[in-house]
Amino acid sequence: MKKILSINILNYNNYINLRNTLESLISIKYFKIEILIFDDNSKDKSLKIAKEFKKIDCRIKIYKVKKNVGVGNLRNLALKLCKGHYLMFVDSGDEIYSKNIDSSIEILKQKNFELIIGNFKSDKPDHGCFKFKGKIIKEKNLINQLFKESKIEFRTVCWRFIVSKNFLISNSIKFTANNRKMEDIEFVLGIITKSKKILNLNKYLIKQKYDKNS
C-alpha cells in the first residue's frame, strides 16, 4: 500500500539515543506512513531496540546492511527502498515534533509540493534554532535566503526537508555515494536549485541531538 510519507532513520552504534528518536516517531498519529530504520551494521544493542519498537508499532520496518557502507550509501539505499510519496531523513538521536508532522501530512494530502522546508532546533553549541523566513512560492534568491538564515549550515542538514520522491527520481537527485561526511551537500543543493513548488512550513520538524563523537 502506497504511503504518504516515509521517515528514514539512519543509525550506527547509537542504541542509547535511538530509543528517544523512536519514541518521538511512534507518537505520530497518522497511520499511512512508514518508519524505516536503516542500520549500518551496528555492533551494539541498536537492533534489539529497533525490534522492540517494531513490536509496538507496525509502521516500523528494519533494514540492516551486512557490512558497514557509510552514511552516503545508506541514504541512497533509503531513497531506493522507501515507498512514500514524500520522504524525510532523521538521524538516530534526533527527535521529531510529531504534532507538526501530523499537520504537514494533512497539507501533503491536499497539495502537490516538490519541497517542504521546516524549522529545526539544535543543542549543538552556537546553533540554537533555525527558522526559514522565505515565502511559499519559488524565489530566485532561495539559496541566498538559506545562506543568510543559517550561514553555511543549511547545506549539511537534509533532515529539515520533506521531499517528493517523484521529484527526486525525475531529477536524478541522490546523496554522494561512499561519503561518510558531508554526503548530503549534493542532495540539498540539488533539491533547492531544481524545485519549483516549495512550501515554507514555518513549523519545527526536528530537534537535533548533538553528539561530538558522531
Side-chain angles (χ1 to χ4, degrees), residues 9-35:
I9 309 162
L10 271 64
N11 178 77
Y12 177 66
N13 287 343
N14 196 18
Y15 82 95
I16 294 177
N17 295 313
L18 179 61
R19 182 180 295 276
N20 291 334
T21 301
L22 293 175
E23 285 178 348
S24 71
L25 284 167
I26 64 173
S27 64
I28 296 173
K29 294 181 180 179
Y30 197 77
F31 184 75
K32 287 182 65 175
I33 65 169
E34 58 178 6
I35 302 169

Side-chain angles (χ1 to χ4, degrees), residues 137-153:
I137 59 174
K138 174 70 176 181
E139 295 285 350
K140 292 182 180 179
N141 63 340
L142 176 60
I143 296 180
N144 291 332
Q145 286 177 299
L146 285 165
F147 265 114
K148 182 178 180 180
E149 173 252 15
S150 56
K151 299 180 181 179
I152 203 71
E153 185 65 21

